[in-house]
Amino acid sequence: MIQPLGVILAGGQATRMGGGDKGLLILGDRTILSHVIGRFDPQCAGLALNANGDGRRFTNLNLPIIADSIPGFAGPLCGVLAGLDWAADQGASHIVSAAADTPFLPCDLVPQLQLAAENSPSGMALAASPSGRQPTFGLWPTALRDDLRAALLGGLRKVVLWTSRHGAATVEFSDDAAFFNVNTPADLDQARGML
C-alpha cells in the first residue's frame, strides 16, 4: 500500500488546558507533539501540522504548517480540509489525520485505516476504540475536499455526520490508551504515569 500524507491536527484553542498549545507541553523528556510525530511519521509519506495563529512557534519541527481556511475554530473537520487541500496540491490521493494531544497513538494506525477503507465506497475510514469513535483519526480522500468545504460552509461541524454520508468504514483498535488525549492538567499528570 502507498503511504498517505499525514496531518497532525493542532488547530483548536485548548480551552480546558487554559489555552496555548497542548502539543508543546512536556511529557517525559520531550513534548507531547514529539511523541505524536515519533509514532506517526514512520507510517506516512510526509507530515504537516494543522495549526492556527503564528506558525513560527513550531519552526523547530521542520514541518509545513497549514492553517484552517475557514475562520472561527470550526472544529477538526476544518483541519482535515486544510490537510486535504495541502495534500491535493502535492498530487496525493489521501491523508491520514491524528490529534496533536495523543502521545500514545497506535503504531499501526495507518495500515489499519487503509485496510478498513477498502470496505468503503469513498475510500474513507475512521478509528474507534472500546470507548467509542475516535473521529480525529481517519483516512480521508482528497477527492472529497470540495464536498467537505461545502458542508463546512453550510454549517456542518460534526465529523460523524459528514463521514456517514460517504459510507466511511470503521476500524476498532483494542486499546483505549492508544487514543488517550491530554485535555486538562490532570490528563497530563495521568499521561506522565502512563509513560
Side-chain angles (χ1 to χ4, degrees):
M1 289 186 194
I2 297 171
Q3 286 184 309
L5 294 172
V7 177
I8 300 171
L9 302 175
Q13 295 177 291
T15 53
R16 287 179 283 178
M17 189 60 83
D21 294 297
K22 292 184 289 183
L24 297 180
L25 296 172
I26 299 299
L27 177 60
D29 62 349
R30 54 199 169 126
T31 66
I32 293 171
L33 203 43
S34 293
H35 287 279
V36 172
I37 291 168
R39 286 175 170 259
F40 199 32
D41 186 51
Q43 303 181 57
C44 300
L47 288 182
L49 180 69
N50 163 240
N52 295 303
D54 187 350
R56 289 177 294 185
R57 65 195 191 277
F58 300 111
T59 300
N60 65 322
L61 297 177
N62 296 315
L63 295 177
I65 309 300
I66 51 176
D68 292 351
S69 59
I70 295 173
F73 298 98
L77 281 175
C78 285
V80 170
L81 176 59
L84 291 173
D85 286 339
W86 166 73
D89 287 346
Q90 299 181 62
S93 65
H94 287 77
I95 63 164
V96 173
S97 62
D101 60 358
T102 53
F104 312 115
L105 69 91
C107 291
D108 63 346
L109 176 70
V110 173
Q112 292 298 327
L113 288 170
Q114 287 178 309
L115 285 172
E118 292 176 3
N119 298 314
S120 164
S122 64
M124 186 187 302
L126 298 177
S129 69
S131 64
R133 292 179 175 135
Q134 303 293 337
T136 55
F137 295 84
L139 177 70
W140 315 88
T142 56
L144 289 178
R145 65 193 178 115
D146 291 332
D147 183 276
L148 177 55
R149 189 182 334 277
L152 286 165
L153 291 172
L156 183 128
R157 297 295 179 260
K158 296 235 179 235
V159 175
V160 175
L161 290 179
W162 187 70
T163 57
S164 294
R165 288 182 194 169
H166 296 287
T170 301
V171 56
E172 184 161 327
F173 292 82
S174 60
D175 186 8
D176 271 328
F179 298 98
F180 180 84
N181 61 321
V182 178
N183 283 320
T184 66
D187 290 341
L188 182 58
D189 287 340
Q190 186 175 343
R192 288 173 176 145
M194 292 167 70
L195 189 63

